[in-house]
Amino acid sequence: MRGYRVGLWEALRYRGGIGVLVWILHRITGLGILLFVSIHVVAAFFMNALNDSISTAVTHWYESHPVQVFVYFCVLYHALNGLRVLLEDFYPPLLRYHRELIWLQWAIFVPVFGLPAFFIAQGIVLGTP
Amino acid sequence: MKVILKIRRFNPERDRAPWWGYYQVECEPTDRVLDALNWVKWYQDGSLAYRRSCAHGICGSDAMRINGRNRLACKTLIKELGNRITIEPLLGLPVIKDLVVDLEPFMKHYRSIMPYLVNDDPPPATERLQSIAQRERFDDTTKCILCAACTTSCPAFWARPDYIGPAAIVQAHRFIFDSRDHGAEERLRILDAPSGVWRCRDIYNCTEACPREIQVTQAIAEVKREILRRRG
């Protein structure tokens, strides 16, 4: 007899710790990066091949400030979280400080993401490039 | 205090789908969840099925999901949970009845890592001696009671039931780092497979679920490192 694959709803109902949340966010940001790169490559190809209005609109969309902020969030979070996982895997005693390392990761993430995001948002609100 | 137990019930011979049973029990705050379950079974509904044996956190029989997290019913006090308690079977293993799951898939993974001493040297006249440091190396992982709380809290196991799971890796760790054992190469070969240690994503649910407070994720990371070290 084999175990069974647990459905998404059952899995989400499990009250795991902070580790689950950062792992889910790692997956979401990874998918975000994949989505952005895929759209970028496909739109750039059609832009060159056809130069039609759809590929122009898609290019304008992914070059817009909100999408740039989203991509910056995804890349920065994915990189920092990946770095933490690498550190924990190469120095297993650090896993005793798993929770603290996650807070440290957020302490680095918030200003490094927040400041550029703030200035981009300010630019959008004030209408400056 | 009055406690409402919400228990996930399922009898495969009678029910088409699981259902919730509600039971009101009079408890002391210092009673354990197992005491409340016993009260239900002995005085309210004898058809309720769950495993228990030693009732002192040693045998690992009564691991279950209590208020959404894997815990041992015999080590969890009512006062830690409040007066509404939800009890469900472990995730990822087939339910036999109510809170009893089929542990065979779990045990199959456990058996696969050769959970016994491998040493073909002639037995010495006395014990196979170890230094304090050699014994200390795997002390943490000797505490495992095979309750399955770690493996069934692991999202990697939920997604891929062929993943060997934290408990089997903890058991392998116990022998891999034992200076008296000669089976480390074979165990590491098994754990280096696609269903082995590399499925671990350092999510840490296992460590938080372990009722023996074993540093499960750390043990898994140490096994990963040992595989890499031996690869050179």
Side-chain angles (χ1 to χ4, degrees):
Chain A
M1 167 118 25
R2 294 183 72 217
Y4 69 91
R5 283 185 71 159
V6 174
L8 183 64
W9 175 239
E10 285 276 45
L12 290 175
R13 282 183 60 238
Y14 187 87
R15 287 172 59 184
I18 194 169
V20 181
L21 298 176
V22 295
W23 171 69
I24 290 173
L25 201 51
H26 190 75
R27 288 297 167 108
I28 291 171
T29 53
L31 285 172
I33 294 167
L34 181 70
L35 188 72
F36 171 76
V37 171
S38 307
I39 291 173
H40 192 304
V41 169
V42 172
F45 169 76
F46 281 109
M47 188 82 162
N48 276 320
L50 305 172
N51 198 19
D52 62 342
S53 59
I54 295 175
S55 46
T56 308
V58 171
T59 304
H60 282 307
W61 175 76
Y62 74 66
E63 284 179 350
S64 67
H65 283 140
V67 176
Q68 297 293 316
V69 170
F70 171 72
V71 172
Y72 181 47
F73 177 91
C74 290
V75 171
L76 187 65
Y77 178 85
H78 205 77
L80 281 177
N81 196 57
L83 202 61
R84 178 186 58 78
V85 172
L86 273 175
L87 275 174
E88 288 177 347
D89 267 351
F90 279 102
Y91 304 100
L94 281 178
L95 277 156
R96 287 182 184 265
Y97 307 100
H98 179 74
R99 201 173 279 268
E100 289 79 2
L101 282 172
I102 290 172
W103 287 119
L104 177 67
Q105 177 191 326
W106 281 108
I108 297 169
F109 178 85
V110 169
V112 176
F113 171 74
L115 275 176
F118 170 76
F119 287 119
I120 293 171
Q122 196 181 37
I124 295 169
V125 172
L126 299 177
T128 52
Chain B
M1 64 189 282
K2 276 192 171 46
V3 172
I4 306 289
L5 294 184
K6 180 183 171 189
I7 304 175
R8 191 150 180 177
R9 307 290 309 268
F10 180 60
N11 180 352
E13 293 176 356
R14 200 187 56 202
D15 304 324
R16 291 177 63 186
W19 51 280
W20 292 105
Y22 292 84
Y23 307 91
Q24 187 172 303
V25 181
E26 189 65 37
C27 294
E28 294 294 326
T30 48
D31 281 346
R32 304 159 304 167
V33 172
L34 183 63
D35 297 318
L37 283 173
N38 285 340
W39 183 270
V40 172
K41 183 163 180 74
W42 295 341
Y43 301 109
Q44 295 188 29
D45 186 346
S47 70
L48 176 66
Y50 54 95
R51 282 197 181 98
R52 63 177 162 76
S53 186
C54 78
H56 287 81
I58 298 298
C59 72
S61 302
D62 59 352
M64 52 190 75
R65 244 181 319 156
I66 301 171
N67 278 4
R69 275 185 56 199
N70 286 358
R71 315 172 207 235
L72 292 185
C74 63
K75 280 189 80 174
T76 308
L77 301 182
I78 299 291
K79 67 179 179 184
E80 296 167 19
L81 304 166
N83 56 4
R84 291 188 72 85
I85 301 172
T86 305
I87 306 176
E88 298 164 90
L90 297 173
L91 277 171
L93 296 172
V95 175
I96 295 174
K97 189 185 175 199
D98 298 334
L99 303 174
V100 179
V101 293
D102 183 358
L103 285 166
E104 180 49 28
F106 170 79
M107 290 298 175
K108 194 174 142 198
H109 289 316
Y110 167 61
R111 287 192 298 268
S112 74
I113 53 89
M114 307 190 299
Y116 41 81
L117 188 82
V118 177
N119 189 332
D120 293 332
D121 291 348
T126 58
E127 299 90 351
R128 298 181 198 273
L129 294 176
Q130 269 185 324
S131 68
I132 291 172
Q134 284 173 329
R135 177 61 179 74
E136 181 70 26
R137 182 69 189 85
F138 61 95
D139 185 66
D140 197 35
T141 45
T142 61
K143 296 186 293 187
C144 178
I145 54 174
L146 291 174
C147 65
C150 58
T151 296
T152 57
S153 72
C154 174
F157 178 74
W158 297 340
R160 294 287 298 266
D162 60 332
Y163 169 41
I164 200 158
I169 301 170
V170 160
Q171 290 294 327
H173 179 284
R174 183 252 169 272
F175 289 102
I176 288 166
F177 295 102
D178 186 337
S179 59
R180 301 163 297 184
D181 185 88
H182 295 170
E185 283 294 335
E186 179 62 9
R187 290 194 189 90
L188 290 171
R189 190 189 60 74
I190 294 163
L191 294 171
D192 196 13
S195 59
V197 284
W198 308 111
R199 289 225 166 273
C200 172
R201 300 287 188 265
D202 290 2
I203 296 168
Y204 216 67
N205 268 7
C206 52
T207 307
E208 289 184 346
C210 179
R212 305 285 293 173
E213 296 178 1
I214 298 171
Q215 292 295 319
V216 182
T217 320
Q218 184 179 338
I220 296 171
E222 285 174 0
V223 171
K224 286 177 184 171
R225 276 208 68 180
E226 188 62 14
I227 290 172
L228 293 177
R229 193 183 69 77
R230 293 195 187 210
R231 275 186 193 169

